[in-house]
Amino acid sequence: MIDPTQGGPAQGNPGQGRAAAGSPTDQRSWIERVPAGYWILGLILLIMPAVAGDFILYQIFGWSFILGIIALSLMFLAGYGGMVSLVQMTVAGLAGYMLAIFGVSAIDTISLGWPWYITIPLALIIAVAFGTLTGWLAVRTEGIYTIMITLAIASAFFYFTRQNYVIFNGFSGFNGVLPPNLFGVDWRAPAAFYYLTLFWAVLAYLVVLYISRAPFGLALQGVRDNPRRMAALGFNVTAHRVAAYSLAALLAAIGGILLTWQSAQISPGTAGIGPVIDILVIAVIGGLRHPIGPFIGAFVFVLLRTFALDALIAVGLSGERFQLLIGIGFLVIVFWSPDGLLGLWEKLKAARRKDPLLDRGGETPGGQR
Amino acid sequence: MSEQLSASITERLGATGTANALELRGVSKFFGALAAIEDISMTVRPGERRAVLGSNGAGKTTLFNCVTGDFPSSSGSIRFFGEDITAFPPHERIRRGLRRTYQISLLFTGLSVRDNVYLACTGVSRSRFSFLRPRRDDSLMASADNLVHVVHLDDARDTIVSELSYGQQRQLEIAMALAGAPRFILFDEPAAGLSPTERSELIEILLGLPGHMGFIIIEHDMDVALRVAQSVTMMHNGRVFKEGNPAEIEDDPEVQALYLGDGHG
Ligand SMILES: Nc1ncnc2c1ncn2[C@@H]1O[C@H](COP(=O)(O)OP(=O)(O)OP(=O)(O)O)[C@@H](O)[C@H]1O
Ligand SMILES: [Mg+2]
């Protein structure tokens, strides 16, 4: 269920039937191809700070965008590459740690206090190197073994950071890790942080969408569906997969830096086993077929995480049941719609388009699946 | 860097001039205890067109898999235009100008005809890692369109592959094998399952390939094989049984016995 390559026919279909619309050979200009829904959603997101309160902006949207970016890196690997990596949150955590260690934090015995224009690129480079190395190990395995090896690396990182006091400051980690006051803006002010995270979320989304139809992304989907054929076309399947891990690591690292700024701290728990699994849950709930899925998943996850507790207590249940609620949600989604909420939405759209009198199906985009 | 490059080019040019397109020495492939092919030695000159005949299970497809590296051979050596490619992974062999088609079509069924061929064209070009979408005047796109034309699929260019007829899928297989600058192609039963009209179209395509482009074609149908090939290798039980020109093979009593006995020909 989780691995999109499982259960499908050996000769799959990159583009999933949406090929005609997003094909590299599509000749319409890009403006014409932007659906109306995007304009509306874009407008709503842009004017959000005018209507929403600080808590909504900072905690709900800011956090959703950040988790969305990290889950997007998993969607890229799993959806287009067929590789389920549990190491994405770890890459994000590593980027956060590097930021704290090389830059400024409250733990000035460890933090080197270098300026942001050195620490941010350095954090990204180290995180990408780590992600690439993980990929290099993981692409030699398939399916469940990929999950296991990446989970092993994620747990090793968690325990290592918790026990290492010399560099990672052990259990308590680093606090006071703040974004630079670039352009005189306090980037942790709710509206500023909202726009900061929105900007990176949109950019990450567009980059993934764009690459999915560029030769690299197309080939990645080819590798997912039919590695043998891809090799016979001259593609180095292993190199392609490792490169996908590198790109995914870059996305996760950006998310990790934003995540560290949001709470102004990084500690072992940030990339503990719980959060590592959360990213998988978010990506699967949202849907692995399209890069918008992880953001939908993250939004739902953050809403549940924030409000389910109060809601549960209000109806007289223990707040602890929140995890149970997410677990049940996960189960329902995986059971009813393996393509996540996104798949559910597409199903609804297809059903609505069906003419009840003629009982004729509309031109569903997934018609050729 | 450029010195190295020019060295490898002269090396290859030199090799092209003198060496054989394909040279197999004692190639074997075992699946467990089963020898799918055993001690195959075979030499094919540049530009030569060879037919490989043999009954079901003779090891023809396995021979192709060993040459392209889909399966590594168990023993023996393989030279491609003078270069020892025995230990090369498949993509390295393909990048040196080797191509193949599959007996059972391996296509990307969710993509259009044009995108399948485009993928094949990027695979043997430098832009296979490109993060930039192709522009309208992209040269790879142009060569993809050209290949679509070569195999007579212009009308189906934007059709999703899963909607193609069987015959059209076979034609697409051939277009994908022609991507880039092939020096030698392995066709695995391209005519199997085709209608008589499609068959003659296929023969026309094969005869229309540029003269320097040698190939091996596996074909059960003697009529097709003998029309496009200048030499024939008969395989039987994983070994080379007979080699010669078409006339010799056709008249060979042993071959006749084997073939007629099997109900072929
Ligand atoms: N992947 C494999 N694993 C195990 N045995 C195999 C494999 N591929 C082929 N064989 C065996 O090797 C032998 C040769 O098979 P091969 O496919 O090369 O024959 P062929 O000459 O191409 O036959 P056909 O005319 O049916 O295509 C057969 O006995 C086959 O069962
Ligand atoms: Mg065969």
Side-chain angles (χ1 to χ4, degrees):
Chain A
M1 284 288 176
I2 289 163
D3 185 343
T5 57
Q6 302 272 310
Q11 301 168 32
N13 41 352
Q16 307 290 359
R18 275 181 267 110
S23 135
T25 55
D26 194 343
Q27 303 272 302
R28 287 176 300 160
S29 90
W30 69 272
I31 285 268
E32 294 173 73
R33 273 182 277 150
V34 176
Y38 274 62
W39 296 111
I40 299 168
L41 183 68
L43 201 67
I44 293 175
L45 288 176
L46 268 181
I47 60 167
M48 187 63 74
V51 288
D54 287 355
F55 178 78
I56 299 285
L57 288 180
Y58 198 79
Q59 279 303 326
I60 304 296
F61 281 105
W63 201 20
S64 297
F65 292 146
I66 294 169
L67 289 182
I69 294 171
I70 301 171
L72 176 69
S73 78
L74 171 58
M75 177 272 148
F76 180 72
L77 284 176
Y80 295 140
M83 302 174 285
V84 179
S85 155
L86 290 184
V87 89
Q88 299 315 110
M89 193 64 187
T90 306
V91 172
L94 179 66
Y97 265 114
M98 291 304 113
L99 202 65
I101 291 169
F102 291 113
V104 182
S105 84
I107 317 298
D108 52 13
T109 47
I110 297 177
S111 290
L112 298 173
W114 293 353
W116 64 269
Y117 50 83
I118 295 177
T119 51
I120 293 177
L122 198 58
L124 293 177
I125 289 169
I126 292 174
V128 168
F130 176 79
T132 308
L133 195 68
T134 306
W136 187 77
L137 286 170
V139 297
R140 272 136 241 279
T141 61
E142 298 249 345
I144 187 80
Y145 297 102
T146 312
I147 299 180
M148 273 156 52
I149 197 167
T150 50
L151 182 62
I153 292 170
S155 343
F157 180 82
F158 169 65
Y159 289 113
F160 181 76
T161 51
R162 207 171 60 166
Q163 283 155 16
N164 181 293
Y165 280 84
V166 180
I167 300 171
F168 290 93
N169 200 32
F171 190 75
S172 46
F174 299 82
N175 55 3
V177 190
L178 301 173
N181 262 359
L182 208 58
F183 310 119
V185 177
D186 173 13
W187 290 105
R188 286 191 82 225
F193 193 74
Y194 172 85
Y195 282 121
L196 178 70
T197 49
L198 175 66
F199 172 79
W200 286 105
V202 169
L203 189 67
Y205 169 79
L206 291 178
V207 163
V208 168
L209 198 64
Y210 181 85
I211 288 178
S212 72
R213 294 280 117 203
F216 178 81
L218 214 56
L220 185 62
Q221 293 164 72
V223 165
R224 170 196 68 195
D225 292 335
N226 211 325
R228 181 175 170 199
R229 175 45 130 167
M230 290 304 281
L233 293 179
F235 290 93
N236 183 342
V237 169
T238 307
H240 228 87
R241 286 179 170 152
V242 174
Y245 266 92
S246 309
L247 186 73
L250 181 62
L251 295 175
I254 292 170
I257 288 175
L258 295 172
L259 187 67
T260 307
W261 284 342
Q262 193 204 19
S263 55
Q265 63 93 36
I266 178 93
S267 62
T270 309
I273 306 304
V276 160
I277 303 290
D278 286 346
I279 293 300
L280 177 67
V281 171
I282 288 169
V284 172
I285 285 185
L288 292 169
R289 279 254 163 104
H290 191 272
I292 199 68
F295 291 100
I296 296 173
F299 189 58
V300 170
F301 178 87
V302 169
L303 283 182
L304 274 179
R305 181 119 220 185
T306 315
F307 297 115
L309 200 102
D310 294 334
L312 284 172
I313 291 173
V315 297
L317 287 168
S318 151
E320 304 290 307
R321 305 258 167 108
F322 146 76
Q323 293 287 3
L324 187 69
L325 208 64
I326 291 207
I328 292 174
F330 185 64
L331 209 66
V332 168
I333 288 286
V334 169
F335 195 76
W336 290 107
S337 170
D339 288 337
L341 290 174
L342 206 61
L344 220 54
W345 168 250
E346 273 173 11
K347 263 188 221 167
L348 277 178
K349 257 198 333 201
R352 274 236 313 272
R353 241 181 256 170
K354 215 179 259 172
D355 190 323
L357 291 177
L358 298 172
D359 194 30
R360 204 171 51 197
E363 293 269 314
T364 62
Q368 309 98 344
R369 252 172 229 173
Chain B
M1 175 68 196
S2 75
E3 224 170 72
Q4 202 182 344
L5 192 70
S6 61
S8 92
I9 287 173
T10 41
E11 200 175 82
R12 266 198 225 170
L13 280 178
T16 315
T18 57
N20 290 308
L22 201 59
E23 204 173 305
L24 308 186
R25 287 226 189 91
V27 174
S28 304
K29 175 68 189 175
F30 293 92
F31 292 109
L34 172 85
I37 54 174
E38 205 172 354
D39 196 24
I40 300 263
S41 293
M42 182 189 269
T43 305
V44 187
R45 284 171 287 107
E48 183 179 336
R49 277 117 197 246
R50 159 110 32 141
V52 170
L53 306 177
S55 47
N56 291 103
K60 307 178 297 291
T61 299
T62 305
L63 178 69
F64 276 15
N65 283 331
C66 288
V67 173
T68 56
D70 278 48
F71 306 148
S73 47
S74 309
S75 61
S77 79
I78 303 169
R79 284 181 170 273
F80 185 64
F81 287 95
E83 191 175 14
D84 189 344
I85 59 166
T86 318
F88 284 14
H91 64 265
E92 288 293 346
R93 305 181 191 207
I94 301 302
R95 289 176 197 177
R96 278 165 176 73
L98 183 66
R99 299 285 187 278
R100 75 170 295 176
T101 68
Y102 286 88
Q103 185 171 357
I104 299 164
S105 296
L106 276 182
L107 302 166
F108 298 99
T109 51
L111 290 181
S112 70
V113 168
R114 197 192 206 190
D115 287 352
N116 267 269
V117 182
Y118 176 70
L119 208 50
C121 292
T122 50
V124 285
S125 80
R126 287 190 177 278
S127 57
R128 66 180 87 87
F129 267 105
S130 172
F131 286 108
L132 298 179
R133 288 188 186 181
R135 292 207 312 246
R136 273 167 211 213
D137 54 353
D138 188 83
S139 65
L140 287 178
M141 200 62 87
S143 40
D145 282 348
N146 182 40
L147 287 175
V148 170
H149 175 72
V150 166
V151 297
H152 312 306
L153 282 176
D154 303 74
D155 293 339
R157 195 173 71 181
D158 296 314
T159 309
I160 302 295
V161 168
S162 56
E163 288 166 13
L164 293 183
S165 73
Y166 176 81
Q168 287 174 314
Q169 294 197 3
R170 301 303 290 165
Q171 278 162 294
L172 177 56
E173 271 279 333
I174 292 174
M176 289 169 81
L178 296 176
R183 292 202 283 174
F184 198 81
I185 311 178
L186 308 174
F187 293 108
D188 197 345
E189 301 199 22
L194 296 187
S195 69
T197 343
E198 288 169 332
R199 233 163 238 255
S200 51
E201 237 176 58
L202 171 77
I203 293 175
E204 188 193 316
I205 291 171
L206 293 178
L207 291 176
L209 293 178
H212 68 271
M213 222 180 263
F215 61 75
I216 300 182
I217 179 169
I218 298 179
E219 189 45 67
H220 278 302
D221 186 340
M222 283 271 212
D223 298 335
V224 175
L226 301 184
R227 275 194 60 188
V228 296
Q230 305 137 0
S231 57
V232 178
T233 298
M234 262 307 281
M235 282 181 71
H236 190 62
N237 283 339
R239 288 176 176 275
V240 173
F241 179 69
K242 271 275 145 59
E243 228 172 57
N245 64 41
E248 282 168 14
I249 294 291
E250 238 184 339
D251 297 341
D252 190 291
E254 275 184 302
V255 171
Q256 276 179 351
L258 195 69
Y259 238 62
L260 296 173
D262 275 1
H264 286 289

mmCIF file with all atom_site columns, all heavy atoms in Angstrom, chain A residues 6 146-147 198 252 316 341:
data_model
loop_
_atom_site.group_PDB
_atom_site.id
_atom_site.type_symbol
_atom_site.label_atom_id
_atom_site.label_alt_id
_atom_site.label_comp_id
_atom_site.label_asym_id
_atom_site.label_entity_id
_atom_site.label_seq_id
_atom_site.pdbx_PDB_ins_code
_atom_site.Cartn_x
_atom_site.Cartn_y
_atom_site.Cartn_z
_atom_site.occupancy
_atom_site.B_iso_or_equiv
_atom_site.pdbx_formal_charge
_atom_site.auth_seq_id
_atom_site.auth_comp_id
_atom_site.auth_asym_id
_atom_site.auth_atom_id
_atom_site.pdbx_PDB_model_num
ATOM 1  N N   . GLN A 1 6   ? 4.481   -1.414 -5.501 1.00 0.00 ? 6   GLN A N   1
ATOM 2  C CA  . GLN A 1 6   ? 3.975   -2.733 -5.168 1.00 0.00 ? 6   GLN A CA  1
ATOM 3  C C   . GLN A 1 6   ? 2.608   -2.966 -5.799 1.00 0.00 ? 6   GLN A C   1
ATOM 4  O O   . GLN A 1 6   ? 1.775   -2.085 -5.814 1.00 0.00 ? 6   GLN A O   1
ATOM 5  C CB  . GLN A 1 6   ? 3.819   -2.863 -3.650 1.00 0.00 ? 6   GLN A CB  1
ATOM 6  C CG  . GLN A 1 6   ? 5.103   -2.632 -2.895 1.00 0.00 ? 6   GLN A CG  1
ATOM 7  C CD  . GLN A 1 6   ? 5.898   -3.887 -2.745 1.00 0.00 ? 6   GLN A CD  1
ATOM 8  O OE1 . GLN A 1 6   ? 5.373   -4.904 -2.338 1.00 0.00 ? 6   GLN A OE1 1
ATOM 9  N NE2 . GLN A 1 6   ? 7.161   -3.842 -3.102 1.00 0.00 ? 6   GLN A NE2 1
ATOM 10 N N   . THR A 1 146 ? 14.389  -1.067 1.707  1.00 0.00 ? 146 THR A N   1
ATOM 11 C CA  . THR A 1 146 ? 14.698  0.362  1.667  1.00 0.00 ? 146 THR A CA  1
ATOM 12 C C   . THR A 1 146 ? 14.146  1.034  2.914  1.00 0.00 ? 146 THR A C   1
ATOM 13 O O   . THR A 1 146 ? 14.810  1.855  3.553  1.00 0.00 ? 146 THR A O   1
ATOM 14 C CB  . THR A 1 146 ? 14.073  1.011  0.419  1.00 0.00 ? 146 THR A CB  1
ATOM 15 O OG1 . THR A 1 146 ? 14.385  0.221  -0.713 1.00 0.00 ? 146 THR A OG1 1
ATOM 16 C CG2 . THR A 1 146 ? 14.577  2.424  0.226  1.00 0.00 ? 146 THR A CG2 1
ATOM 17 N N   . ILE A 1 147 ? 12.917  0.669  3.272  1.00 0.00 ? 147 ILE A N   1
ATOM 18 C CA  . ILE A 1 147 ? 12.301  1.238  4.464  1.00 0.00 ? 147 ILE A CA  1
ATOM 19 C C   . ILE A 1 147 ? 13.133  0.886  5.690  1.00 0.00 ? 147 ILE A C   1
ATOM 20 O O   . ILE A 1 147 ? 13.414  1.726  6.542  1.00 0.00 ? 147 ILE A O   1
ATOM 21 C CB  . ILE A 1 147 ? 10.853  0.716  4.626  1.00 0.00 ? 147 ILE A CB  1
ATOM 22 C CG1 . ILE A 1 147 ? 10.018  1.131  3.412  1.00 0.00 ? 147 ILE A CG1 1
ATOM 23 C CG2 . ILE A 1 147 ? 10.227  1.224  5.910  1.00 0.00 ? 147 ILE A CG2 1
ATOM 24 C CD1 . ILE A 1 147 ? 8.580   0.680  3.451  1.00 0.00 ? 147 ILE A CD1 1
ATOM 25 N N   . LEU A 1 198 ? 5.741   30.187 3.305  1.00 0.00 ? 198 LEU A N   1
ATOM 26 C CA  . LEU A 1 198 ? 4.923   30.081 2.092  1.00 0.00 ? 198 LEU A CA  1
ATOM 27 C C   . LEU A 1 198 ? 5.807   30.141 0.853  1.00 0.00 ? 198 LEU A C   1
ATOM 28 O O   . LEU A 1 198 ? 5.669   29.338 -0.066 1.00 0.00 ? 198 LEU A O   1
ATOM 29 C CB  . LEU A 1 198 ? 3.877   31.204 2.053  1.00 0.00 ? 198 LEU A CB  1
ATOM 30 C CG  . LEU A 1 198 ? 3.035   31.287 0.771  1.00 0.00 ? 198 LEU A CG  1
ATOM 31 C CD1 . LEU A 1 198 ? 2.144   30.058 0.638  1.00 0.00 ? 198 LEU A CD1 1
ATOM 32 C CD2 . LEU A 1 198 ? 2.172   32.551 0.751  1.00 0.00 ? 198 LEU A CD2 1
ATOM 33 N N   . ALA A 1 252 ? 14.426  18.543 1.908  1.00 0.00 ? 252 ALA A N   1
ATOM 34 C CA  . ALA A 1 252 ? 14.258  18.244 3.335  1.00 0.00 ? 252 ALA A CA  1
ATOM 35 C C   . ALA A 1 252 ? 15.098  19.186 4.189  1.00 0.00 ? 252 ALA A C   1
ATOM 36 O O   . ALA A 1 252 ? 14.671  19.627 5.255  1.00 0.00 ? 252 ALA A O   1
ATOM 37 C CB  . ALA A 1 252 ? 14.633  16.794 3.607  1.00 0.00 ? 252 ALA A CB  1
ATOM 38 N N   . GLY A 1 316 ? -14.818 14.547 26.682 1.00 0.00 ? 316 GLY A N   1
ATOM 39 C CA  . GLY A 1 316 ? -14.593 13.722 27.853 1.00 0.00 ? 316 GLY A CA  1
ATOM 40 C C   . GLY A 1 316 ? -13.614 12.576 27.650 1.00 0.00 ? 316 GLY A C   1
ATOM 41 O O   . GLY A 1 316 ? -13.550 11.655 28.454 1.00 0.00 ? 316 GLY A O   1
ATOM 42 N N   . LEU A 1 341 ? -5.756  11.612 0.328  1.00 0.00 ? 341 LEU A N   1
ATOM 43 C CA  . LEU A 1 341 ? -6.877  12.541 0.183  1.00 0.00 ? 341 LEU A CA  1
ATOM 44 C C   . LEU A 1 341 ? -6.980  13.028 -1.256 1.00 0.00 ? 341 LEU A C   1
ATOM 45 O O   . LEU A 1 341 ? -8.068  13.247 -1.779 1.00 0.00 ? 341 LEU A O   1
ATOM 46 C CB  . LEU A 1 341 ? -6.688  13.731 1.126  1.00 0.00 ? 341 LEU A CB  1
ATOM 47 C CG  . LEU A 1 341 ? -6.846  13.399 2.609  1.00 0.00 ? 341 LEU A CG  1
ATOM 48 C CD1 . LEU A 1 341 ? -6.489  14.604 3.461  1.00 0.00 ? 341 LEU A CD1 1
ATOM 49 C CD2 . LEU A 1 341 ? -8.275  12.948 2.896  1.00 0.00 ? 341 LEU A CD2 1
#
